[in-house]
Amino acid sequence: MKTKNVFKLAFLIAIGLSSCKNKNPLPDPLEAGWKGEAVCEVIEENNELRVLKCTFEPGVGHEKHYHNPHVGYTLVGGKFRITDHTGTREVDVPTGYTFRKDSITSHEVLNIGETTSVYLIMEFK
């Protein structure tokens, strides 16, 4: 009888721990937007990959969010203020720029330039 209860308890703990895995208190890039408006849309999604297209008009940003490991490509570049774990900086992102992150990361951005900037984000599942 006691052995059954121990196994039940171990099973419930294992379920509880596995349900906590990969939980992030921040929204993902699709859920996050700017002042209640979406900035990203799903272009393609399957069991291995999700591709987002994110568009930022001047003065529009992306509220703090997390990314799963991903590769990004800049369709149309621009000037951004980026805040992440390293601090806040301003960057000019050129058209055709490719970037990659191999771990879960988080940041927020704001288009401080005068033109609309567009990105593809390919997230691995």
Side-chain angles (χ1 to χ4, degrees):
M1 184 92 158
K2 286 184 183 182
T3 304
K4 255 187 187 178
N5 289 337
V6 169
F7 283 122
K8 265 188 191 175
L9 180 59
F11 178 73
L12 291 173
I13 290 171
I15 288 174
L17 290 175
S18 68
S19 69
C20 292
K21 195 176 184 181
N22 294 328
K23 296 281 184 180
N24 197 308
L26 296 173
D28 75 10
L30 184 61
E31 297 166 328
W34 184 251
K35 298 183 179 180
E37 298 293 323
V39 294
C40 296
E41 61 182 298
V42 176
I43 300 298
E44 178 69 36
E45 186 165 12
N46 59 43
N47 291 335
E48 298 172 1
L49 185 71
R50 179 172 75 169
V51 180
L52 302 175
K53 180 181 177 187
C54 303
T55 303
F56 305 96
E57 294 179 5
V60 172
H62 208 180
E63 293 163 352
K64 191 169 183 178
H65 60 283
Y66 79 93
H67 283 276
N68 285 323
H70 64 280
V71 173
Y73 181 78
T74 307
L75 295 170
V76 181
K79 185 170 185 157
F80 281 81
R81 181 175 301 125
I82 300 172
T83 302
D84 61 16
H85 72 281
T86 66
T88 300
R89 63 197 177 284
E90 293 182 3
V91 295
D92 288 308
V93 184
T95 297
Y97 178 71
T98 301
F99 50 94
R100 178 183 183 106
K101 299 289 182 177
D102 293 323
S103 61
I104 295 174
T105 58
S106 64
H107 65 226
E108 62 183 275
V109 300
L110 176 63
N111 182 348
I112 58 173
E114 297 178 7
T115 60
T116 298
S117 190
V118 184
Y119 298 83
L120 287 180
I121 307 292
M122 294 147 278
E123 293 185 318
F124 306 107
K125 291 185 176 182

